[in-house]
Every structure is written in C-alpha cells, then in structure tokens.
Amino acid sequence: METENNITPGQISEEGMSCMASVKGLKENWQKWSDGHQEYQKHNPFSHDAKPATVVLQKGQEGYGRPWEGSLTEQRGKDAHVHISREVEELCEVIRNIGETRDKDGNGAHEKVTTVEFGKLFEHYVTISNKVVGILLRARKQGLVNFEGEMLWQGQDDHAVITLLQ
C-alpha cells in the first residue's frame, strides 16, 4: 500500500487531484473561519478567551450599546428600522384616509389637522398590522401624531382622539 508521500504526480488520477483540491479548499475555508472566530472571541467580553486588556465601553461612551460596524447584527437593526419606518408612514396614510380634517385649535384658524378616534383606527389598521399601538407610540416619538395618555387600550380608549401632526 502506498502512502501520499510515495505517490508520484503521474500516479494520481484527475479525480483524485480534484478531490485533494476540494479538501484543501475546505480546510483553508475552515481555518479562515476559525481564525476570524478566535479574533472575535478575543474582543467578546463574555468569552473566556477575552484578553484582560479588552476595552469595555462604558455607558455614555460613543458606540456603547451599538453592534460592531459591518456586523450582521448592525444590518438586522438597519433592516428593522427601515421596516418600522414604512409601518409608521403607512399608519399616517391610514389616518389621513379615514380621519376627519378639522381646524387645529377650533378657533377658525387656517391650520388644519386630521384626527381619528382610536377605536376607528384600531378597527381599520388591525387588518394591516396587529402592532397598531406600538406603531402609534413610535409615530408619537417621531412627532408625527399626538394623543392623550401614555398608552392606548382597545375598548377603554376607543374614544381617545389621535391627531396627525404632519
């Protein structure tokens, strides 16, 4: 039986060469991944491989509470932000479509706003998304809508007026 060291180049078939090449490629890919993971673990404060000199960001420092730039976590956060922004825009459009236009202060001024009761909005929007209250809270945080109270509850706050500000 011949070992790998005793085989001459003329004795290896094309099939054998491609198999050796693919195994070599797999080994190189695995090593590349392994090296990258070891480097990542050196900076992971929760890993037993973390260097004692690893800089751990403190609250208030730039980058604290943020994922590494270029990481999959950062990309998922960006994707979620885009998705939520679309839902907020869609909610505002629904309010424009089903709401009533009124004078802003009720004194006959020329400024108009669109308002809708929460119960009516809930019934229309719940077919689009079951996260209507969360989206309303996000829209209020962005200054797009306004309503009384911290939270709106179905049934209890059906007559609460939601005002579209923009």
Side-chain angles (χ1 to χ4, degrees):
M1 182 167 178
E2 295 181 356
T3 64
E4 186 177 322
N5 295 336
N6 297 336
I7 298 176
T8 63
Q11 293 175 317
I12 300 175
S13 67
E14 282 186 37
E15 186 178 308
M17 288 297 283
S18 72
C19 181
M20 284 175 33
S22 65
V23 170
K24 185 177 180 182
L26 286 173
K27 181 183 174 195
E28 288 172 357
N29 285 342
W30 175 259
Q31 192 61 49
K32 184 178 172 184
W33 177 86
S34 177
D35 294 343
H37 184 69
Q38 286 176 351
E39 189 62 32
Y40 170 79
Q41 289 296 77
K42 288 177 186 175
H43 299 287
N44 181 354
F46 302 106
S47 169
H48 66 277
D49 294 334
K51 294 178 182 175
T54 300
V55 177
V56 178
L57 297 176
Q58 300 298 317
K59 197 172 191 176
Q61 285 182 310
E62 187 177 335
Y64 176 80
R66 298 268 180 202
W68 285 357
E69 284 189 34
S71 69
L72 290 175
T73 304
E74 180 190 39
Q75 186 58 47
R76 284 189 292 267
K78 288 178 179 178
D79 293 345
H81 179 74
V82 167
H83 177 75
I84 295 298
S85 294
R86 268 192 247 124
E87 285 209 27
V88 167
E89 288 173 19
E90 190 173 6
L91 174 73
C92 291
E93 189 60 34
V94 168
I95 293 172
R96 273 187 210 92
N97 291 338
I98 66 171
E100 301 171 7
T101 304
R102 300 180 182 173
D103 292 331
K104 186 173 184 175
D105 297 323
N107 60 5
H110 296 293
E111 263 191 278
K112 302 281 186 186
V113 292
T114 303
T115 61
V116 66
E117 287 187 344
F118 176 66
K120 183 177 179 181
L121 177 64
F122 188 89
E123 290 302 319
H124 279 78
Y125 195 78
V126 79
T127 60
I128 299 168
S129 173
N130 61 353
K131 302 177 287 288
V132 65
V133 175
I135 301 299
L136 271 170
L137 292 172
R138 174 67 78 140
R140 179 169 68 177
K141 188 175 181 179
Q142 294 176 2
L144 300 174
V145 300
N146 193 22
F147 54 88
E148 291 293 320
E150 256 184 71
M151 179 68 77
L152 295 173
W153 303 96
Q154 184 187 10
Q156 175 181 329
D157 294 317
D158 281 353
H159 298 291
V161 175
I162 298 168
T163 305
L164 184 64
L165 301 175
Q166 293 183 0

